[in-house]
């Protein structure tokens, strides 16, 4: 089961995985590199709930807008710095958990935990076309 994913300042996506039963040592932390490869960075974790580079379930784009996963709402919403709803993106899963902006895609992690009858996309990592980007952090290097 994927835990919330986040992008670091170098544009790599980090996500934890864990067993549904939260079995001790069954979790791991993975990194999706900018070249598309995936690296298991750390395993044997009890509950890797994703690293923190931003508030849980949200990210900020280069325009200062907040993208928020709406738990139980099957949506991702984009808000202006003034709090105005600018965009809603429907997702085919009940509980989106986190969002990541790559400049080409909006990546969304979802949870299967909670619904009595999870759908086929609950617990999946989803991708949609999106040109929004995360802010560039000065001095951030992209390392594989």
């Amino acid at each position: 089961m994927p835990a919330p994913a986040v992008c670091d300042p170098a544009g790599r996506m980090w996500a934890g995985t864990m067993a549904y039963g939260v079995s001790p040592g069954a979790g791991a932390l993975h990194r999706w590199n900018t070249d598309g490869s995936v690296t298991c960075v750390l395993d044997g974790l009890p509950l890797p709930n994703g690293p923190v580079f931003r508030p849980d379930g949200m990210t900020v784009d280069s325009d200062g807008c907040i993208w928020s996963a709406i738990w139980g709402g099957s949506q991702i919403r984009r808000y202006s710095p003034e709090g105005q709803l600018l965009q809603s993106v429907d997702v085919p899963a009940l509980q989106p958990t986190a969002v990541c902006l790559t400049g080409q895609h909006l990546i969304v992690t979802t949870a299967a935990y909670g619904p009595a009858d999870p759908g086929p996309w609950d617990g999946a990592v989803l991708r949609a076309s999106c040109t929004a980007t995360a802010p560039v952090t000065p001095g951030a290097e992209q390392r594989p």
Side-chain angles (χ1 to χ4, degrees), residues 2 5 13 32 74-76 89-100 102 105-111 120-129:
M13 187 173 78
W32 181 8
S74 299
Q75 278 191 343
I76 305 302
V89 178
D90 292 331
V91 295
L94 180 63
Q95 299 176 150
T97 58
V99 294
C100 175
T102 70
H105 296 102
L106 168 65
I107 308 293
V108 179
T109 58
T110 68
W121 296 106
D122 292 312
V125 177
L126 308 172
R127 180 181 74 180
S129 294

Side-chain angles (χ1 to χ4, degrees), residues 11-144:
R12 300 168 299 187
M13 187 173 78
W14 295 73
T17 57
M18 59 191 179
Y20 278 105
V22 191
S23 304
L29 180 63
H30 303 275
R31 183 182 67 224
W32 181 8
N33 302 302
T34 56
D35 65 2
S37 64
V38 177
T39 303
C40 179
V41 178
L42 186 62
D43 60 10
L45 301 172
L47 183 63
N49 198 20
V52 178
F53 296 104
R54 47 87 187 131
D56 196 23
M58 294 184 274
T59 195
V60 177
D61 66 22
S62 57
D63 294 328
C65 296
I66 291 177
W67 293 73
S68 180
I70 308 301
W71 178 266
S74 299
Q75 278 191 343
I76 305 302
R77 295 181 186 160
R78 181 180 187 235
Y79 293 92
S80 72
E82 297 75 35
Q84 177 185 9
L85 177 62
L86 300 176
Q87 183 178 2
S88 293
V89 178
D90 292 331
V91 295
L94 180 63
Q95 299 176 150
T97 58
V99 294
C100 175
L101 301 169
T102 70
Q104 296 176 339
H105 296 102
L106 168 65
I107 308 293
V108 179
T109 58
T110 68
Y113 179 80
D117 187 22
W121 296 106
D122 292 312
V125 177
L126 308 172
R127 180 181 74 180
S129 294
C130 177
T131 58
T133 59
V136 175
T137 303
E141 297 179 34
Q142 291 189 357
R143 297 182 196 134

